[in-house]
Amino acid sequence: IAEPLSQIWKQQAIVINQAGAGGLIAARALAASPPDGYTLFLAGGSVFVALPEVNPNLPFDVTEFAPIGFAAEQPYALLASKTLDVKSTSDLIEYSKKQPSGLDTVAGTRGGLQHLTVEWFRKKSGAKLNMIHYPGPAQAMNDFLTGRVPMMMQTLAPVAGVIASGEAKLLAVASEARLRGLPDTPTVAETLPGFTSSGWSILVAPKGTPADIVEKINRDLRAALARPDIVERLEKQGNYTRPMSPDQLAQFVRSERATWVPIVKDIGLPDLTRHGLRHTGATWLADAGIPLHVLQDILGHASVETTRGYLHPDDRHLASAAEQANAFLARSAKASDENRCFISALFCCAVLCS
């Protein structure tokens, strides 16, 4: 949406990617920005649903950000790897119930909307599912395509290619109605009435942004998203527009929180701040109660940030987070010298480059 907005404003809309920590990094940057309309946040749903629950001591309230407009939604799709002998939502549910140890499913970052969607699917369907969490999409997709973790619920854009190539089976979409571009694909709600789930992106501004500025940006955003060429580009990526006023958007966020926050509480996401951890991808280590300094002593601070949420394939048979963490530490201890050397080399390269 930066391109059409730049054309409307006759000045460049600059996109700054501040990913990480379930949206916390970007949210903190917005909260610290002046409320003048020049700094905006294209926020995902988990920022308003999960982030406040796992970080209750945030120095700002995300629900107080000034709502501007709805950018796009990405309906979730129910997928099975080509190795799994199922053809429908009901097939998958029944198949999972027949497995003695359940069916492994990609659950993404713990507390993210992908995880919450799968949890709700499990609760509503009674499917026997094992949540396999990943800190990033690359390893998750590899395990899914090879059939090691044969089920996934994911928004359409990242999986469009593997569906088209036949590497994955598209069983259903979690939209309210069948999608224009996929008229032959049933909705999950046709099997589980009332089940819908979409990733969504909304534009918000810092708390206290004047109403006239909010209204101006809302009008411009709606004009940009009404362009047929923009609609076509978004839909090719699995994104669908839904025009809303600022008041309608505020009501939408309240409605989404009413749906998802009880699920967050039901699955018992921990208060990460109690453990000194603030990245949602690390929650399985937080559950285990392993002090952060232990990991830092073994790997060094830099590696802790990138590896502490990684679930090794050999650990998937372990029932508890503590067992997973102990296995992680055992492997890490054997490679501690090598890791320290690698971290030192990265540090030296960073100093030289700077």
Side-chain angles (χ1 to χ4, degrees):
I1 62 175
E3 177 187 335
L5 286 177
S6 296
Q7 294 170 355
I8 292 172
W9 293 336
K10 296 181 172 53
Q11 58 181 329
Q12 185 63 44
I14 300 171
V15 177
I16 301 174
N17 290 309
Q18 292 193 325
L24 174 59
I25 296 173
R28 183 183 290 128
L30 183 77
S33 300
D36 55 11
Y38 283 92
T39 302
L40 310 174
F41 180 21
L42 189 64
S46 60
V47 169
F48 298 91
V49 172
L51 188 62
E53 305 306 315
V54 298
N55 293 277
N57 297 319
L58 289 174
F60 54 87
D61 184 350
V62 297
T63 63
E64 293 182 351
F65 289 158
I68 293 177
F70 194 95
E73 63 178 335
Q74 309 87 29
Y76 271 86
L78 177 61
L79 303 156
S81 70
K82 63 181 181 181
T83 62
L84 202 61
D85 187 22
V86 298
K87 296 181 180 179
S88 66
T89 301
S90 56
D91 282 353
L92 184 140
I93 294 169
E94 291 307 312
Y95 179 88
S96 73
K97 293 178 179 178
K98 294 176 182 177
Q99 306 311 302
S101 57
L103 180 66
D104 288 349
T105 180
V106 172
T109 298
R110 193 171 188 199
L113 192 56
Q114 182 183 25
H115 176 208
L116 300 183
T117 297
V118 181
E119 289 282 5
W120 190 22
F121 179 86
R122 175 168 65 177
K123 184 175 182 178
K124 198 167 182 66
S125 68
K128 192 176 179 181
L129 302 177
N130 304 314
M131 304 292 160
I132 307 298
H133 297 285
Y134 296 85
Q139 181 67 28
M141 184 61 72
N142 181 68
D143 284 357
F144 171 70
L145 293 178
T146 58
R148 300 176 73 179
V149 183
M151 175 189 160
M152 174 187 285
M153 296 195 77
Q154 177 61 279
T155 52
L156 283 166
V159 295
V162 296
I163 293 171
S165 67
E167 296 177 88
K169 299 177 186 179
L170 175 59
L171 303 181
V173 290
S175 50
E176 293 184 358
R178 295 194 180 197
L179 300 176
R180 290 189 295 269
L182 297 166
D184 296 328
T185 301
T187 65
V188 178
E190 290 174 37
T191 302
L192 301 173
F195 185 95
T196 61
S197 180
S198 293
W200 42 271
S201 301
I202 64 174
L203 203 60
V204 295
K207 175 185 177 181
T209 301
D212 59 337
I213 293 177
V214 169
E215 292 290 345
K216 160 67 174 167
I217 300 174
N218 175 269
R219 289 194 301 271
D220 294 342
L221 175 65
R222 296 174 73 165
L225 293 176
R227 283 175 37 177
D229 61 320
I230 299 299
V231 171
E232 182 181 2
R233 285 167 59 184
L234 286 171
E235 290 192 1
K236 283 182 178 179
Q237 300 171 0
N239 294 281
Y240 295 83
T241 60
R242 195 196 301 185
M244 291 186 190
S245 68
D247 287 343
Q248 289 172 328
L249 181 60
Q251 177 57 42
F252 170 81
V253 172
R254 287 193 292 269
S255 175
E256 287 290 289
R257 282 185 54 79
T259 297
W260 294 109
V261 169
I263 298 173
V264 172
K265 294 182 182 300
D266 186 55
I267 63 178
L269 290 180
D271 173 2
L272 302 187
T273 57
R274 291 172 49 213
H275 302 276
L277 301 179
R278 286 169 170 72
H279 292 275
T280 55
T283 53
W284 66 274
L285 284 178
D287 287 344
I290 295 178
L292 184 59
H293 74 270
V294 173
L295 295 178
Q296 291 173 336
D297 287 345
I298 294 174
L299 294 174
H301 182 74
S303 283
V304 169
E305 293 296 317
T306 56
T307 65
R308 64 187 180 188
Y310 178 67
L311 180 56
H312 193 276
D314 293 341
D315 296 345
R316 291 191 182 122
H317 68 286
L318 302 177
S320 72
E323 289 175 325
Q324 294 171 7
N326 287 336
F328 173 82
L329 290 174
R331 281 193 309 277
S332 301
K334 294 178 182 178
S336 59
D337 291 337
E338 180 181 345
N339 285 329
R340 285 198 182 98
C341 290
F342 179 64
I343 293 165
S344 298
L346 285 178
F347 178 77
C348 292
C349 288
V351 171
L352 289 173
C353 289
S354 64

